[in-house]
Amino acid sequence: MIRFAALFNTIDQSTKTNAKVAALADYFDSAPDEDRMWTMALFSGRRPKRAVTTTKLREWAAETADIPLWLFEESYPIVGDLAETIALVLPLSETTNDDSLTQWITRLRDASQTDDAARKAFVLVAWETLGGTERFVFNKLITGGFRMGVSQKLMTRALSKATGKAEAELAHRLMGNWHPDHTSWHALIEADDAAVDASRPYPFYLAYALEGPPDALGAPENWRAEWKWDGIRGQLILRDGQHFVWSRGEELMTDRFPELARSVDFLPPGTVLDGELLVWHPHSDSPASFNALQKRIGRKTVPKKLLADAPVVLHAYDLLEWQGEDLRDAPFAERRKILEELCAPLPVAAPVRLSPQLEFTKWDELADLRDVARDENAEGIMLKRSDSPYLVGRKKGDWWKWKLAPLTIDAVMIYAQAGHGRRANLFTDFTFAVWDGNELVPFAKAYSGLTDAEFREITKWVRKNTLQRFGPVRQVTPHHVFEIAFEGIQASPRHKSGVALRFPRMSRWRQDKPLQEANTLEDLNDMLRIYG
Amino acid sequence: MNSSPALTFTERGIYCAAGDFHIDPWRPVARALITHGHADHARSGHGHYLATHAALPVMRHRLGDIDAQGIAFGETIRIGDASVSFHPAGHVPGSAQIRVEVGREVWVASGDYKTEPDGLSEPFEPLKCHHFITESTFGLPVFRWQAQTHVAAQINAWWAKCAAEGKTAFLGAYALGKAQRLLSMLDPEIGPILTHGAVEATNAVLRQQGLPLPDTLGVTPETDHKAQKGALVLAPPSALGSAWARKFGPQETAFVSGWMQLRGVRRRRAGDRGFVISDHADWNGLLTAIKETGAENIYVTHGYTEIFTRYLNENGWHAQVVPTEFEGESLDAEGSE
């Protein structure tokens, strides 16, 4: 554990990618097989089954620290991380135990088979014999989630450095359903004939946002355009008579979208499609809003009624594997051509459809299309270079997303709350209101979009202009106007204003705008009528 | 006991009616008693200032020509019907807690304080009182400081590593207090210690009043940046990563603050490293200080005021939050600390 904690520290303390890659590569080069497997697993979001509930952990931590539970609970949001909060409140101690990462994970799983008293005894001994980062890492093993700036890309770079294998190959090997319990370092990373798991997806290729007009991209004839759908990116895999659906976050979603099971009836094995999962009613011209899809996300089993109310189809826009061959190095135009032939005979009842391309010869024409994207329930336009291969990860140059300008409204800040974690010492969470006659009606919360310097300035101001405190929330003098940008608006009886915004954030601090000139509830309702 | 308390909290600051003076006021007043020279406690515009002899030089340096009077630690003077004395707060050199006695009622306004001796500031002196005014900048049980020697070893190890790799080590710290404390913790055997102009100016003031600080070299436009092999540069946080700093070539930066205890803040603000050193009391320090006063009534001025106050009330004190404009330990360049 000391070795893993040291790796963790080096990565955590460094802001430089090269230093992180070097530390990881060094670890992969020298750590025992089981430990490096678990390290890869942990850094890619695979974790041991939770052995202890977080409720118990919090109780035991407060008890060991000799503080009331409420005080622990108040500290937690300020620190922003449960594992860290526990590590910080416990009595200081030095690490006296040097069992390996895998040994600790094994012990943790053994503990999950025992009763509460034995589990508690195990955890308390761990806290006593582990100090500093080791203690924090141990808590992380239980609470899960090593989000620490080790992207898949960074890990594959380090692995490539340690093993001499190409990054793209490693990226593919690391995708999918592997787990340290069921595979070995040799089988996953080294074996030449690694039997490709039927479910293994390809790493997604991600577009960069296009700032400014597309003229800078060169001649329009070298580019293909399509709607940028507001759904969930998904990869549909058809191999060996089975089908698998993967999200961009590498989550297997096959069971959540049972409609796609029928795709095996329409498409041959050895086919992998990249596309957008959308709620699209059979006879509608455009997909339903993201709101409809949201009802499906997070449901592991889908009731029949919901299946009928919110049917999902895959709008395919790329073909990654065809007749069992990896097509990713072929130019986009070629992949697209086969995809079109493949989709042409599909009946309306098929759960897969071709995502159409937009016709244009000049950039101006495309700009006009973009202006009406909202009518199609699209959130902008995707641009893909005709001769581009399908790359791994976010790469600049061949794929661009040209998003719609967000909707905006000018609103008054009326409540402020301190942030947590990295922003614990600043006021960053604000509630905004619009005018309803002489009254200010709250309608949205936002906590992003300002610079650090702006957050510091507003923090100073909040301290001096607090009218009332409600626990951590401060009501402030209505004075500052902010432009709030958002992606969508819908009616919501749960909110006092009657509307809910999608992804609201502060796009501008309108220091130039007097309080009275902020927008009104009527303006918001107009937007609801148009875009809701 | 008087029906009206000796100290009250007004829009201008902490006020003593019996002596007609304010303590660390944030709006201009006729007579101000100042605990220490940080900007959120010693503001400009007051008619007359009273502070410890050790705090005055820095205040004059920062506030310019002020009408001020010095007082020794432990010396009692009479102002109107109030007896007033200043006692070490251990926050920065010269910083004081102000004890006010009216009738038989004793109040202590502690300003900012820490209980751990830092080897440079006059060590914190516990005072018996009925009413204690305290900060709570780090008033959560997650804030507990390691011994200074422990962190000194971490900082020196980091500096030595930078020196070995041919990098200049930049340490971000406030010009008054933290910078000098760090100076006393650094191992001059590792390499030369350079200072930014703002730090060096404060060093000069403190050296002149007799504070034992190691030798430093102020960076000037004439400094030969490439010749400073293995150097450590002490600079205000705002100077880290600036054009001024980049002239030194390959470098690492570290930030020193109590906030570095939180991984999230460390990752956002620390540059390459974050070291946990604060001139404010940690959780245990706050509770020990409060217990030692023997006071029943506690007024919490800044920091995690609501949470800290609730904890005190559950443990037998009469505690309340009093809104002030003190800022505690800030991470801003222009912050007050």
Side-chain angles (χ1 to χ4, degrees), chain A residues 216-254:
Chain A
L217 298 179
E221 56 265 30
N222 297 333
W223 292 85
R224 303 289 188 93
E226 55 201 67
W227 292 123
K228 181 178 182 341
W229 299 115
D230 188 10
I232 308 172
R233 182 91 180 266
Q235 196 174 122
L236 172 64
I237 294 176
L238 302 162
R239 290 184 191 130
D240 302 346
Q242 298 172 274
H243 83 290
F244 305 92
V245 185
W246 288 93
S247 77
R248 216 191 81 184
E250 261 195 83
E251 198 184 348
L252 194 55
M253 308 187 292
T254 314

Side-chain angles (χ1 to χ4, degrees), chain A residues 8-9 11-16 20 66-68 70-72 74-75 78-79 81 84-85 87-92 94 135-136 140 147-149 421-426 452 456 460 463-464 469 471-472 474, chain B residues 43 139-146 150 251-252 259 261-269 271-273 283 303-308 310-311 314-315 321-327 329-335:
Chain A
F8 181 91
N9 261 340
I11 293 172
D12 201 41
Q13 282 170 359
S14 181
T15 47
K16 298 188 177 70
K20 291 184 191 181
D66 196 21
I67 55 172
W70 71 260
L71 182 56
F72 179 90
E74 289 282 355
S75 302
I78 292 163
V79 174
D81 182 289
E84 187 186 351
T85 311
L88 290 177
V89 300
L90 294 173
L92 299 170
E94 296 290 322
R135 185 193 273 169
F136 172 60
K140 275 284 185 198
R147 269 190 299 260
M148 50 176 299
R422 59 188 214 106
R423 298 152 130 203
N425 57 330
L426 295 173
D452 275 5
R456 288 200 292 272
K460 277 193 167 176
R463 288 209 178 103
K464 290 180 190 168
R469 300 173 186 220
R474 292 177 179 218
Chain B
R43 297 176 194 252
L140 291 180
V142 295
F143 295 109
R144 284 167 309 154
W145 312 146
Q146 302 256 25
H150 183 90
Q251 54 191 266
E252 285 200 15
W259 292 108
Q261 177 85 339
L262 300 184
R263 178 170 168 253
V265 180
R266 207 157 60 226
R267 285 163 63 81
R268 182 169 67 92
R269 288 304 294 268
D272 296 297
R273 291 294 294 272
W283 171 254
Y304 290 105
T305 49
E306 283 85 359
I307 299 172
F308 193 61
R310 177 175 168 195
Y311 181 82
E314 284 189 5
N315 285 277
V321 179
V322 288
T324 66
E325 292 189 12
F326 304 138
E327 291 171 8
E329 181 160 325
S330 157
L331 276 173
D332 321 351
E334 65 285 4

Side-chain angles (χ1 to χ4, degrees), chain A residues 455-501:
Chain A
F455 275 129
R456 288 200 292 272
E457 193 181 337
I458 199 81
T459 294
K460 277 193 167 176
W461 182 86
V462 167
R463 288 209 178 103
K464 290 180 190 168
N465 292 279
T466 300
L467 296 176
Q468 264 194 88
R469 300 173 186 220
F470 310 96
V473 179
R474 292 177 179 218
Q475 185 188 5
V476 297
T477 318
H479 176 77
H480 285 296
V481 177
F482 287 82
E483 180 183 88
I484 305 298
F486 53 99
E487 298 303 315
I489 182 169
Q490 69 203 49
S492 166
R494 285 190 300 134
H495 292 81
K496 198 174 174 185
S497 60
V499 300
L501 305 188

